[in-house]
Amino acid sequence: QVQLVESGGGLVQAGGSLRLSCAASGISFSILHGYWYRQDPGKERELVATIRSGGITTYADSVQGRFFISRDNAKNTVSLQMNNLKPEDTGVYYCAAQGFGRDYWGQGTQVTVSS
C-alpha cells in the first residue's frame, strides 16, 4: 500500500521560512514525479512546485525564487523549502506523486502565514 505523509506545516510570520517534508512508503520517490500543491478554502487546488523523476524542477510564478523543491532518495522523501513567506502563501499543502499511470496524494498539512 502506497502512502504519502506530509509534515512541517505550522504558523509563521510573514518573511519567515518553513520546510515541508513528504515521506513515501510502499513506493520509491526516485521513479516518480513529485509535486506540492496548495489549496485555500473556496479556491481551486494550485500546483506550487514539481520535481520530475529526472530531477528537473518547475515552480508557479507566485513562488519562483522563494520556494525550492528537492528529493532525497535515501530517505524516500520530497521536501519543499519555503522562504520569505507571504500571507497569500497560507493554505493546506498537499504532497502528490505520479508514475506508471497512478496518482498518489498525502493528507495535507496546514501552513498559515500571519502578516
Side-chain angles (χ1 to χ4, degrees):
Q1 182 180 359
V2 176
Q3 281 191 317
L4 302 180
V5 179
E6 301 99 334
S7 61
L11 173 64
V12 64
Q13 287 188 333
S17 298
L18 281 176
R19 185 176 181 86
L20 306 183
S21 185
C22 175
S25 59
I27 198 164
S28 172
F29 254 130
S30 66
I31 61 173
L32 301 173
H33 306 312
Y35 308 90
W36 283 98
Y37 287 80
R38 69 183 176 200
Q39 187 168 25
D40 265 346
K43 295 184 180 179
E44 291 188 359
R45 195 168 290 188
E46 173 190 16
L47 177 60
V48 172
T50 300
I51 183 164
R52 302 190 66 82
S53 57
I56 294 175
T57 58
T58 57
Y59 300 92
D61 288 343
S62 59
V63 306
Q64 183 76 42
R66 300 187 297 121
F67 289 15
F68 302 93
I69 189 171
S70 60
R71 183 176 60 225
D72 187 328
N73 292 336
K75 295 181 179 179
N76 207 23
T77 58
V78 168
S79 298
L80 185 68
Q81 177 67 41
M82 306 186 294
N83 301 324
N84 190 21
L85 283 160
K86 302 176 181 181
E88 52 263 41
D89 294 320
T90 293
V92 179
Y93 282 70
Y94 296 91
C95 170
Q98 182 186 63
F100 305 101
R102 299 282 306 265
D103 295 331
Y104 307 96
W105 289 89
Q107 81 287 353
T109 185
Q110 176 70 44
V111 171
T112 303
V113 185
S114 63
S115 57

